[in-house]
Amino acid sequence: MKTLARDEAMQMLNKVPEVTLYFWIIKIMATTVGETGADFLNFDLNFGLTGTSLVMASLLAAFLFIQLRARKYVPWLYWVNVVLISIVGTLITDNLVDNFGIALETTTAAFGIALLATFALWYAREKTLSIHSIVTTRRELLYWAAILFTFALGTAAGDLVAESMKLGYANSALMFGALIAAVTVAYYGFKANAVLAFWIAYILTRPLGASCGDWLSQPIANGGLGLGTVTTSLIFLTTILGSVVFLSVTRKDVIPRTA
C-alpha cells in the first residue's frame, strides 16, 4: 500500500507543467484573454457582470473538477483551467469594484492579504511552496487557490495603476514588464530564491497581461489601439491553442518524475 501511495504521489507531479519560456508565454496570453474575455462577455454579449460571473464560475468549477480527477498532467486541460480562472479572477475584482463600489486600493490590499494567507496556510501544512512538489490533492487545491488570488490581485493592481493613478495602459505594461525583468535578473544574476522569484513573477504577469489586453482592445480615445475585445481575444486564444498543441506533441513542459 505504501508503494502504491508513493507511486500515485509521483504521478501528481505530472499535473503541473514545468516552468519554461512556453509556460510564461501562455500564462501572459491567458491573462490577456482573462481581461478581454470578461469584457467581451460582459459588454459585447450583454451578459452583464452577474450573468458572466455565474457562467464562467460554473465552467471553472466543471473543468477544475476534471483537472483534480486527472491522473497526470494534460496540457489542454491545465491551460483551460488557467484561462477560466483568469476570467473568473477578473470578474471577482470587477464585481467588487463596479457592483459593490469597493475602491481599487481596498481590493488590491484585500487580495494581497488573501494571497499571503493562502501561502501561509500552504507552507504551514506542507512546508514548501514549490510547484515541483504538488504531489497531493490538498497541495493542488492550495495551488489553484493561490492562482485565483494572483489573478484577482493582478486585476485590481493593474486597474489601480492604469486607471486610478492615470498611468495609462501602455505605461502600465512597460512598468510591470520592467518589474518582471528585475525579478528575472535577481534570479539568474543574483541567485534569488527560485520559489519566491516564481510567485512574484506569476503575480506580476497578471497586471502585465491585463494592461496589454486593455491597451490592444480599448478605443484609441481611451488610450488603447482600438482592436476590440473580439479581435484581441481571438489573437491570443489562437496563440495559446498553437502553443498548447505544440507542448502536447513535444511534451517539453512535463516535469520529470525525479524532480
Side-chain angles (χ1 to χ4, degrees):
M1 292 296 292
K2 289 183 178 180
T3 301
L4 177 61
R6 184 169 61 250
D7 289 342
E8 289 178 347
M10 292 301 289
Q11 285 183 336
M12 291 288 286
L13 288 172
N14 293 329
K15 295 182 69 179
V16 177
E18 181 61 278
V19 181
T20 64
L21 179 60
Y22 303 104
F23 176 93
W24 292 115
I25 290 174
I26 300 175
K27 201 277 181 178
I28 293 173
M29 295 285 181
T31 63
T32 304
V33 171
E35 186 74 12
T36 59
D39 288 344
F40 172 70
L41 293 173
N42 184 15
F43 300 111
D44 294 72
L45 296 185
N46 296 316
F47 277 27
L49 268 178
T50 302
T52 302
S53 300
L54 290 174
V55 170
M56 300 314 299
S58 298
L59 282 174
L60 174 60
F63 278 97
L64 190 56
F65 176 78
I66 299 172
Q67 166 70 22
L68 293 170
R69 295 281 295 175
R71 299 309 306 161
K72 63 180 181 179
Y73 165 60
V74 182
W76 74 265
L77 180 58
Y78 174 88
W79 288 110
V80 164
N81 276 283
V82 171
V83 171
L84 289 174
I85 211 167
S86 172
I87 296 174
V88 171
T90 299
L91 289 168
I92 290 174
T93 297
D94 288 346
N95 271 283
L96 291 174
V97 175
D98 296 339
N99 284 347
F100 295 95
I102 300 176
L104 284 169
E105 293 84 354
T106 303
T107 55
T108 300
F111 286 128
I113 293 171
L115 180 60
L116 289 175
T118 301
F119 284 147
L121 176 61
W122 185 348
Y123 191 82
R125 299 298 297 269
E126 307 297 339
K127 305 305 179 186
T128 180
L129 298 178
S130 173
I131 65 167
H132 291 109
S133 63
I134 300 176
V135 296
T136 65
T137 299
R138 182 170 65 189
R139 289 187 183 186
E140 191 176 8
L141 286 170
L142 289 166
Y143 171 81
W144 287 112
I147 288 178
L148 175 62
F149 287 129
T150 64
F151 280 120
L153 171 61
T155 299
D159 288 347
L160 176 65
V161 171
E163 297 173 11
S164 296
M165 295 183 179
K166 303 185 184 304
L167 191 60
Y169 301 123
N171 289 333
S172 296
L174 289 173
M175 185 191 77
F176 288 116
L179 289 173
I180 293 172
V183 173
T184 304
V185 171
Y187 173 67
Y188 286 105
F190 299 95
K191 308 302 180 185
N193 180 271
V195 174
L196 179 62
F198 169 81
W199 283 111
I200 291 176
Y202 201 98
I203 293 169
L204 290 173
T205 53
R206 178 61 184 95
L208 172 64
S211 297
C212 289
D214 284 333
W215 178 55
L216 291 169
S217 64
Q218 291 297 315
I220 296 175
N222 294 343
L225 292 182
L227 295 182
T229 55
V230 176
T231 301
T232 304
S233 297
L234 285 176
I235 291 172
F236 284 88
L237 281 173
T238 301
T239 305
I240 292 172
L241 178 61
S243 300
V244 171
V245 169
F246 172 76
L247 293 174
S248 298
V249 173
T250 62
R251 299 182 65 79
K252 287 182 175 291
D253 63 339
V254 175
I255 298 177
R257 290 194 172 193
T258 56

